Amino acid sequence: MNTKLDNVTTQYRKFNENQVLTEGQLNEFIDYFEDQDRLSRTRLSGVGVVCGFKSEYTNLLLPTEIDMVGKAGLDDPFLQTILIAQGAGVTTDGDLITLRKKRANASEVLIDFSDVRYKYYRDYTDVVRYEHFRIGGQQIPLIELITEEEYSELIAGGANAADFKLFGTIQNIYDKIIILYLESYSNEETPCQDADCDNTGAEQVSNLRVLLADSQSVVDLMDKGDAKDSLYKLHNSYEELFDHLPKIEAKRVILDPSITKASDLKSRFQNAIGTVTDLADGFGAIAKTFNISVNLGGESLFSKLNSLMYPKTAGVLDEYQYRYDLLKDLIDTYNEIKELILYLDVDCCPSIASFPKHLMLGPVGARLELGDHTPFRHSFYNSPVTTNDDENYERVIMLANRFVQKINGFQSFIGPVKIIPSNLYVRLGNKAIPYYYRVDKPLLVQWNYEKTKTDREAYNLSYHTANLAGDDFVQNPLNYNIDDNDFYRIEGHLGLPYKTALQNINDLKTKYGLAFDVIALVLQKGEKPGGEVPVKEKTVSIEDLRKQLLSISSDISNQKISSQSLLNISKLDDKLRLLNQVEFAKETSSESVTVVRQDPKKDDVVSELLSEFLERKSGLEHVAGVEPGGTFVLIYESETNNQVLADFSLPYLCCSKKDPVFLALPESKLCQNDAPMAITTVPLDGQVKAFVNGTQIPAITQSGGQSFLDPSLVNAAYFGQTITFTVNDDEVEAQLVVYEQPNVSVTTGNISYGVDTSDPDATVDFHVSVPSGSSGLTYVFNFGDGTAPLSLSALPGNGIVQHKYNLVAGQEDVFNPTLTVTNANGCSKTVAVAPLKLKGQMTVVCLNGMKVVILYRDGIDPGHTCNDASFNLKGNGILIQGATPYNDPRGIIKGNIHLSNTLGSQDAKNYYPTNATSGFSRQNTIVITQAEAQQIALLSPDGFVKFSLECALDYCHTGVAFTQIFLANATTPIYSGYPNGNFLEINPCTGVTR
């Protein structure tokens, strides 16, 4: 047999230019890369049957031919055939195997087909002496499958036809195992017959043989063969282990009204425990297969389990509930191991000697159905790099060790009530470690695979925290985020008086804000449930209670606490009704008992008979805790024997003797002007009533079968007070507060405009009025002009808020400002201010102080020499006198523009330039006053002013005067020119004319 990976080539030579190569150098090169290819296939992908290779024993007829031959014809041996579908597989020597069909060239084969039909067979003798077919050097009986085409070629090549037989003659065909065998060997090299020796060399042959062997022969090979298939035997043992492991599930503890005594309840738990024989047998087989040490102090597994489930010193308070919980934990671990066994199909370094040149396909006609185990068929054994299942073996070993640790670590323990966040619908390793285990390092290391793998085993949660991490979120997990937890483990209450247990659990629930309820159910009705007694119980001070407790403190601190010690303390609690929370000291500790005064609000505890409760409710399950939003149920026997015997839970809040009622509000507060709020109730048609301090208020309305709370119907006297509700006259927990809406008013006051030529804007005063005594208000102004809102935490002392509006000169805009006021309770009111009309006053500003210069420039301006040229300068038809009107002492000169240059009566001698004393040029300058600007602007809706020169005499020259307009204090005119027709329309702010 020519195997490849027995010796691996690890180096090769690089060739030099024009080098003469030896056979050793070439073979070394080829062997290196072939070895790497085979190693990559087996070590990085896997070995075994990848897919396909399904077999079927059938006939050669087409469906249309079956009717022709009849039923008897179907049994004709000539028609029988074995069909094998194409497939793929990898041997442990790295050979990739598929079915082949020969072609004309002996070194080439065809592989692209769906199946092969084998009609003939012959005895097969392995000439290369493959050890996997031999026992004591002798080959087991094998037959080789031959297709009809191969048969014809062999006969044509001189083969003896008598050596071949039809499949129809094989007896017990379904007991035969199909084997694909890659017959590998080297043909001896022959010497060259001439000078051309290029084609010489040993031919490497790989013939695929399809063989059949009896199943018993294959079994003998596995047990006695010269070469052992260790890989198949190992993984087949896992399959056989799984098939033979007993199916085990934990029984439920189901309660019914016939349970009236503590012994009845105990029997239900013990009946649910049942026999442990299957569990002992099943885990024993697992431990044997995986070589797990089961050291139970010299006891057998069955004996140890039996003693744990049924202790010899059994009593009423023998922790049968925790023993039942232990069994559930063990069964959960057992089933988790059993499930993982089917996924142990990973092998890091498969043994090369396992099946180096063959693959087993299983019995002829094997169904290969999903989930079925097919004997004598190589599965595909993955490399760890191709799957995430490579950790499963480690998980199985850890789980099996955890199974043993839980048995050895089960303990009786008494301690204070605790609530531990955990999870319900997950594997045990993802839950908090229960109260009844000794939480030491061996258990912690085996509890949660992911945490142990990342060195965080001390970060599991448990009742017992001594060996956990010191981080506060591990020591006190309820103080931190528990979003990922869907369950509360409640522990330490068994054996306590039910009232003490109830109060402790309720105190913890209130302290940590946990969402569940807790009730007590009694088995017997000796005294009236609820603990009502006709005579008022005696009470003592806390100091007196301490003195009485000192008499038994030595028993608690110096010896292991027993159930009897706990019973003594509980009787003292019943007498004094002041023992609320008890923290029991550990053995050899000097600490005594801590006593806290009972909350008087919790003095009366109402309980109900279990039988009556079960008539109304079902679904009680023992899960050692409660889900958020559920109900935790404590069970005790009677008011005389009032210790907690067991606990159960319901997945919902409970329980009134009436049908359950519930009310949900989307908000816990409203404002008086808010819209009515829909109320969700259970039942849907429940009658809802609202109350303030016991007084019903008419705030509930109905519409279309839906209840609403209308805050506008709440009287002002009830603003800020808590509103409670009933549904069908039963109180519910929902509460609501309606707050008053803030009451303010706002008006506009003084409006002032800018004073310089660049400011057309207006500043508006807003007067805010707030009722006296109002406090904690915040204010948000929206001025309606697109500017960012103004937020104020307090108003100015005078209550006036100013805002400047950006306006367009001469343009009127309407603004709609609003004020939103919010009080300390979050109630808001938005007040709309009366629409505000503002007109840009920039025209007034620009006109104010404007200088208008009108002149005649002799020799420059067209026209003729002026004699009696006098005019009136008007703006929008208003005569402009200016800041310094011309005052003729003679009272003769008319008008305010004088261009006369004839020294006549109308000549004001206003020479141009101003320092000239003669000549014909004249100039008039008028500076517009504030009053004149306001008058003119009132007649300028769009900011434009119409200037005109009108004759001041009975006669006037018609011509053009050169005009310049200057803004106040400006040295450069905004206009210089000849107004058309002695008429000019201009925006004094921009200089734009039209």
Side-chain angles (χ1 to χ4, degrees), residues 817-844:
T818 61
L819 171 61
T820 300
V821 183
T822 305
N823 60 23
N825 298 312
C827 293
S828 299
K829 179 180 181 180
T830 299
V831 181
V833 184
L836 185 61
K837 292 184 180 181
L838 297 175
K839 187 173 183 180
Q841 297 300 304
M842 182 178 274
T843 304
V844 176

Side-chain angles (χ1 to χ4, degrees), residues 218-225 227-241 289 354-355 360 376-378 381:
V218 177
V219 171
D220 292 341
L221 277 175
M222 293 292 176
D223 295 336
K224 309 171 187 177
K228 300 296 192 299
D229 188 348
S230 59
L231 193 59
Y232 171 80
K233 289 187 68 174
L234 175 64
H235 290 277
N236 188 62
S237 69
Y238 297 155
E239 294 278 359
E240 291 180 344
L241 173 64
T289 300
S354 289
F355 45 95
M360 293 191 299
F376 305 117
R377 180 179 175 92
H378 284 118
Y381 311 112

Side-chain angles (χ1 to χ4, degrees), residues 388-654:
N388 292 326
D389 292 340
D390 57 310
E391 296 177 343
N392 288 338
Y393 185 84
E394 295 178 3
R395 290 178 184 271
V396 167
I397 300 302
M398 189 204 78
L399 289 170
N401 285 323
R402 188 178 77 187
F403 189 98
V404 177
Q405 288 294 332
K406 286 188 295 188
I407 295 175
N408 285 327
F410 183 81
Q411 64 176 1
S412 296
F413 187 84
I414 297 176
V417 177
K418 286 187 180 182
I419 301 177
I420 311 299
S422 185
N423 290 285
L424 187 58
Y425 305 106
V426 295
R427 290 295 191 188
L428 182 63
N430 293 319
K431 299 179 181 181
I433 304 176
Y435 168 85
Y436 42 81
Y437 290 130
R438 183 171 60 250
V439 183
D440 51 15
K441 186 170 183 180
L443 180 64
L444 286 172
V445 169
Q446 309 296 341
W447 189 259
N448 181 287
Y449 178 82
E450 283 75 17
K451 289 181 179 177
T452 299
K453 183 179 178 182
T454 55
D455 197 28
R456 295 183 302 118
E457 61 271 12
Y459 286 84
N460 288 288
L461 297 182
S462 175
Y463 177 99
H464 306 287
T465 61
N467 292 317
L468 301 184
D471 304 76
D472 191 58
F473 62 85
V474 176
Q475 297 291 321
N476 299 289
L478 288 177
N479 287 328
Y480 296 86
N481 180 25
I482 54 175
D483 289 350
D484 292 335
N485 301 104
D486 61 9
F487 185 71
Y488 305 127
R489 284 197 68 88
I490 303 177
E491 298 168 318
H493 53 281
L494 285 193
L496 285 178
Y498 77 94
K499 294 179 182 179
T500 301
L502 273 170
Q503 184 171 327
N504 276 267
I505 295 171
N506 277 320
D507 287 344
L508 291 172
K509 182 182 75 170
T510 302
K511 176 180 178 181
Y512 294 109
L514 304 180
F516 68 91
D517 206 350
V518 56
I519 62 172
L521 299 178
V522 63
L523 301 181
Q524 296 179 5
K525 205 173 182 179
E527 299 98 331
K528 183 178 180 181
E532 294 183 8
V533 289
V535 180
K536 185 176 180 181
E537 293 179 301
K538 180 181 178 181
T539 60
V540 296
S541 68
I542 293 294
E543 187 61 33
D544 291 337
L545 181 59
R546 286 198 183 99
K547 291 177 181 179
Q548 294 187 48
L549 289 175
L550 285 175
S551 65
I552 61 170
S553 64
S554 60
D555 293 335
I556 298 174
S557 59
N558 295 324
Q559 65 181 8
K560 188 172 182 179
I561 299 173
S562 64
S563 299
Q564 186 61 41
S565 299
L566 181 63
L567 188 59
N568 291 338
I569 297 174
S570 67
K571 288 180 178 179
L572 182 62
D573 167 55
D574 283 345
K575 178 181 177 182
L576 302 178
R577 300 296 304 280
L578 293 175
L579 184 60
N580 175 34
Q581 297 176 347
V582 183
E583 295 184 1
F584 296 93
K586 296 180 180 178
E587 189 175 0
T588 71
S589 171
S590 61
E591 297 175 359
S592 59
V593 178
T594 301
V595 180
V596 180
R597 190 179 67 83
Q598 183 176 355
D599 186 345
K601 294 185 295 183
K602 301 176 182 176
D603 189 62
D604 293 325
V605 178
V606 178
S607 61
E608 182 181 357
L609 272 172
L610 173 66
S611 57
E612 293 180 358
F613 180 87
L614 293 176
E615 291 176 1
R616 301 183 295 102
K617 300 291 179 185
S618 63
L620 283 173
E621 294 283 353
H622 169 66
V623 288
V626 65
E627 298 177 66
T631 301
F632 191 59
V633 181
L634 304 178
I635 296 181
Y636 65 102
E637 185 175 34
S638 66
E639 291 299 320
T640 301
N641 300 316
N642 62 2
Q643 295 86 5
V644 176
L645 302 174
D647 60 70
F648 288 77
S649 73
L650 290 170
Y652 52 86
L653 290 176
C654 185

Side-chain angles (χ1 to χ4, degrees), residues 154-319:
L154 290 170
I155 296 299
N160 186 0
D163 294 338
F164 299 90
K165 298 178 182 179
L166 293 169
F167 267 120
T169 63
I170 297 180
Q171 300 297 318
N172 300 321
I173 186 64
Y174 294 111
D175 189 48
K176 304 294 184 182
I177 308 302
I178 303 175
I179 302 173
L180 298 183
Y181 170 45
L182 196 64
E183 186 183 66
S184 302
Y185 58 90
S186 297
N187 278 333
E188 293 298 327
E189 180 179 1
T190 57
C192 302
Q193 299 298 319
D194 52 32
D196 184 7
C197 294
D198 289 343
N199 295 321
T200 63
E203 180 184 21
Q204 306 301 303
V205 180
S206 293
N207 293 322
L208 181 64
R209 306 291 186 183
V210 183
L211 308 176
L212 291 184
D214 292 334
S215 61
Q216 185 58 48
S217 296
V218 177
V219 171
D220 292 341
L221 277 175
M222 293 292 176
D223 295 336
K224 309 171 187 177
D226 294 351
K228 300 296 192 299
D229 188 348
S230 59
L231 193 59
Y232 171 80
K233 289 187 68 174
L234 175 64
H235 290 277
N236 188 62
S237 69
Y238 297 155
E239 294 278 359
E240 291 180 344
L241 173 64
F242 178 85
D243 291 340
H244 290 90
L245 285 177
K247 299 177 177 62
I248 306 173
E249 292 293 340
K251 290 184 178 180
R252 293 171 57 215
V253 178
I254 302 175
L255 304 181
D256 62 55
S258 67
I259 301 173
T260 58
K261 301 188 297 294
S263 58
D264 296 337
L265 185 62
K266 177 180 177 179
S267 295
R268 292 303 171 94
F269 275 91
Q270 290 184 329
N271 291 338
I273 291 173
T275 178
V276 296
T277 303
D278 285 347
L279 183 60
D281 292 344
F283 185 77
I286 291 171
K288 181 179 179 181
T289 300
F290 294 98
N291 196 27
I292 301 298
S293 174
V294 185
N295 184 357
L296 302 175
E299 286 189 78
S300 68
L301 179 58
F302 172 80
S303 175
K304 183 68 173 180
L305 287 175
N306 213 44
S307 64
L308 284 175
M309 297 302 114
Y310 302 98
K312 294 180 180 180
T313 58
V316 174
L317 295 175
D318 65 354
E319 299 174 322

Side-chain angles (χ1 to χ4, degrees), residues 108 263 721-722 962:
E108 294 181 355
S263 58
Q721 298 189 48
T722 299
F962 182 75

